[in-house]
Amino acid sequence: MGDAVTMEKIVSLCKRRGFIFPSSEIYGGVGSTYDYGHYGVLLKSNVKSEWWRAMLQDRDDVVALDSAIIQHPRVWEASGHLAGFTDPLVDCRTCKLRFRADHLDQSACGRKPSKHPGDFADCDLTGARDFNLMFETTVGPVKEEGATVYLRPETAQGIFINFKNVLQFSRKKPPFGIAQVGKSFRNEITPGNFVFRTREFEQMEMEFFVPPDEAQKWFEHWLGERERWYVELGIRPDHLRLRAHEQDELSHYSSATSDVEYLFPIGWSELEGIANRGDFDLGAHAAASGEKLEYVDTASGERYVPHVIEPAAGADRATLAFLVDAYDEEQVEGETRTLLRLHPRLAPVKVAVLPLVRKDGQPELAREVYADLRRRMQAEYDEGGSIGRRYRRQDEIGTPWGVTVDHQTLEDRTVTLRDRDSLAQDRIAIDELGDELERRLRAPWTSPKLAAA
Ligand code: GAP
């Protein structure tokens, strides 16, 4: 079984099964902007919950934060984003299109036959100008001077400007972290590849504050932790790698960055960045605001500006990677079965309860089973259409288990429990069903695509 996945198949399944749709479709859509439907919301919410679990529940040195999207404009001055968060752009005076100056060899001129910008004799490119990626808006009813604010391009700065607040209430001392999940906005010049790069996206970022001489140790710690997180949630290890940034790739704040990369259908691409930000941000905000952003040990009197290690992930990009890694096709009885082999903890729906036929008391009993299971986990009841069609639908949304109520259930209160991956069907008593599913949900899981490769 080869890897059947392509980006087109993912886009099509997401639309067909209500995960993700192009936004504003009834008005013709807005480029590279997407809305999440029911199953997409459940899947992405599970991705975020697993991230929170890894940050907060599985350790005791990270606390949570939810800061505002619109912050004081001086935040972005101090952070370096107003001056440095730019891409170089060139305009073509002939075809009126705009290109990233550093991506001309990957861009297509608007005219036919397909050529790169600058390749036609009459291409007339301007010099490169820096274009800031932050979205601007105004606060208050009048567009006056001083009313310009920005939609945050990363959640991280909300953490740095709250360093003092958190230090006071959390009773933590370095090494400790502050974690945040939320929307960020970037006026990307070349968005694309579905939800891989959009202008509005969710980040999952954690700033880990450490004594300066421990920075390298914690940088390595977080590289390992973050790679492990993806593997534990089912991403095939051979589709995951760490790649250290070259010196000329580093962001203005970083002394070292490594990306966790995933082998998307578009090739190896960044899934998450882990950066050593040093004392750049706390130092910059302290200088600009006049507030001391440092740690003082009350016992020893020692004071220092902590260094920061930052694992910064994208919730949408991670969701896309989990979808891509899970997508599979196999031949069953002469037909192609399409399914998402998602880790059960990520699957939008954990169990579907299906009466075999819509008569003989089966729907009533199935609804009873469903009412019991939905108290424990995300469950779905479906009685419409043939049993085969209902299974196919559940396979495509990645539901790991299907419970079928049949004529035997009415006699002995047992049901069949179908496994999405192996297609094994076990007979099990209704009374044991909830406990058995919870046991399976807690069990370690690896992708069956690994064994098949
Ligand atoms: N605070 C550091 C920071 O923002 P980044 O590498 O620019 O670093 C972190 O972003 C992560 O956010 C990326 O690895 C990616 O997963 C996600 N991300 C960034 N830009 C994105 C975009 N335009 N669309 C979707 N996800 C994006």
Side-chain angles (χ1 to χ4, degrees):
M1 179 174 35
D3 205 337
V5 68
T6 62
M7 207 62 117
E8 291 70 33
K9 288 180 183 175
I10 294 292
V11 174
S12 151
L13 184 142
C14 281
K15 175 110 202 274
R16 189 166 75 245
R17 291 301 181 194
F19 281 82
I20 305 173
F21 326 106
S23 185
S24 312
E25 245 188 328
I26 60 167
Y27 289 103
V30 264
S32 298
T33 308
Y34 295 92
D35 296 338
Y36 282 71
H38 181 68
Y39 297 120
V41 170
L42 289 172
L43 174 60
K44 184 157 70 143
S45 145
N46 291 340
V47 171
K48 291 183 285 183
S49 300
E50 289 299 329
W51 188 86
W52 279 121
R53 183 212 295 267
M55 290 296 161
L56 301 183
Q57 200 177 322
D58 294 351
R59 46 195 305 144
D60 57 10
D61 53 3
V62 178
V63 295
L65 180 78
D66 187 358
S67 71
I69 285 173
I70 294 177
Q71 296 161 14
H72 197 292
R74 288 187 59 204
V75 169
W76 308 109
E77 212 177 289
S79 69
H81 283 84
L82 260 180
F85 197 54
T86 55
D87 278 341
L89 287 191
V90 297
D91 290 296
C92 178
R93 295 188 190 93
T94 310
C95 71
K96 311 290 181 219
L97 289 179
R98 182 167 271 192
F99 310 97
R100 261 182 74 163
D102 52 343
H103 286 177
L104 286 182
D105 56 344
Q106 301 155 37
S107 309
C109 173
R111 291 174 297 157
K112 298 279 177 248
S114 183
K115 286 192 182 185
H116 297 309
D119 284 357
F120 284 105
D122 57 346
C123 284
D124 185 7
L125 301 183
T126 64
R129 285 174 303 138
D130 278 343
F131 172 80
N132 196 293
L133 299 184
M134 284 197 293
F135 279 104
E136 263 181 43
T137 185
T138 45
V139 284
V142 186
K143 191 171 181 354
E144 59 197 18
E145 214 182 307
T148 300
V149 291
Y150 304 93
L151 303 187
R152 65 179 177 200
E154 62 171 11
T155 60
Q157 296 303 323
I159 296 178
F160 299 125
I161 59 173
N162 277 292
F163 174 73
K164 217 172 144 183
N165 286 335
V166 175
L167 202 59
Q168 266 162 18
F169 91 83
S170 68
R171 301 158 63 90
K172 296 272 184 241
K173 55 184 259 185
F176 81 100
I178 306 176
Q180 161 150 244
V181 173
K183 285 233 164 151
S184 292
F185 303 83
R186 296 181 189 176
N187 201 357
E188 300 277 6
I189 314 305
T190 46
N193 290 312
F194 199 32
V195 294
F196 180 85
R197 182 170 287 110
T198 51
R199 297 195 171 99
E200 175 181 342
F201 53 95
E202 266 187 290
Q203 289 189 304
M204 310 186 286
E205 296 198 293
M206 199 274 293
E207 309 302 320
F208 202 69
F209 301 91
V210 303
D213 59 353
E214 294 182 17
Q216 183 59 27
K217 179 182 99 181
W218 285 106
F219 180 62
E220 283 158 25
H221 170 85
W222 281 107
L223 288 184
E225 284 296 289
R226 294 306 304 147
E227 192 178 22
R228 195 162 57 85
W229 184 79
Y230 292 100
V231 173
E232 278 183 7
L233 288 172
I235 296 274
R236 290 163 293 167
D238 59 349
H239 280 58
L240 212 54
R241 73 177 186 195
L242 288 174
R243 187 186 67 82
H245 278 208
E246 302 292 339
Q247 208 59 28
D248 62 353
E249 282 182 86
L250 293 175
S251 312
H252 59 278
Y253 50 74
S254 169
S255 61
T257 298
S258 283
D259 287 342
V260 180
E261 292 190 334
Y262 176 71
L263 186 52
F264 285 95
I266 52 170
W268 287 102
S269 311
E270 173 185 343
L271 195 48
E272 163 161 1
I274 294 129
N276 180 349
R277 296 181 76 127
D279 60 0
F280 177 88
D281 303 273
L282 290 182
H285 286 302
S289 67
E291 288 280 348
K292 280 202 169 102
L293 299 178
E294 58 185 14
Y295 172 70
V296 184
D297 189 319
T298 41
S300 68
E302 184 197 7
R303 58 173 66 219
Y304 60 86
V305 178
H307 282 204
V308 171
I309 306 303
E310 173 197 66
D316 308 272
R317 210 175 273 185
T319 300
L320 179 62
F322 286 119
L323 280 167
V324 164
D325 213 67
Y327 184 95
D328 208 358
E329 291 171 2
E330 67 177 11
Q331 292 302 312
V332 179
E333 290 165 10
E335 279 191 28
T336 304
R337 180 170 87 109
T338 302
L339 72 161
L340 292 181
R341 299 188 190 274
L342 287 165
H343 190 298
R345 290 215 306 268
L346 294 181
V349 176
K350 312 302 178 200
V351 59
V353 183
L354 321 168
L356 186 61
V357 291
R358 214 183 333 178
K359 56 182 186 182
D360 302 336
Q362 288 182 23
E364 291 74 11
L365 189 47
R367 280 190 179 279
E368 246 179 64
V369 173
Y370 166 61
D372 182 44
L373 289 178
R374 67 186 282 197
R375 278 201 292 270
R376 299 186 183 220
M377 62 193 69
Q378 191 71 37
E380 202 167 275
Y381 175 80
D382 187 4
E383 60 175 31
S386 77
I387 192 77
R389 266 189 61 177
R390 282 178 278 160
Y391 276 146
R392 272 201 297 283
R393 191 177 157 276
Q394 294 299 333
D395 284 342
E396 284 206 348
I397 63 167
T399 306
W401 302 295
V403 167
T404 310
V405 168
D406 54 20
H407 61 276
Q408 193 182 329
T409 314
L410 299 164
E411 288 161 17
D412 64 5
R413 291 188 68 80
T414 65
V415 290
T416 58
L417 178 53
R418 172 190 185 264
D419 183 273
R420 172 199 70 198
D421 294 325
S422 65
L423 289 178
Q425 305 229 16
D426 299 326
R427 200 87 207 167
I428 177 166
I430 288 175
D431 290 348
E432 290 166 19
L433 200 50
D435 286 349
E436 171 61 16
L437 290 179
E438 279 182 353
R439 188 192 63 72
R440 291 189 185 191
L441 256 182
R442 283 194 303 269
W445 185 91
T446 50
S447 172
K449 285 171 81 175
L450 257 185

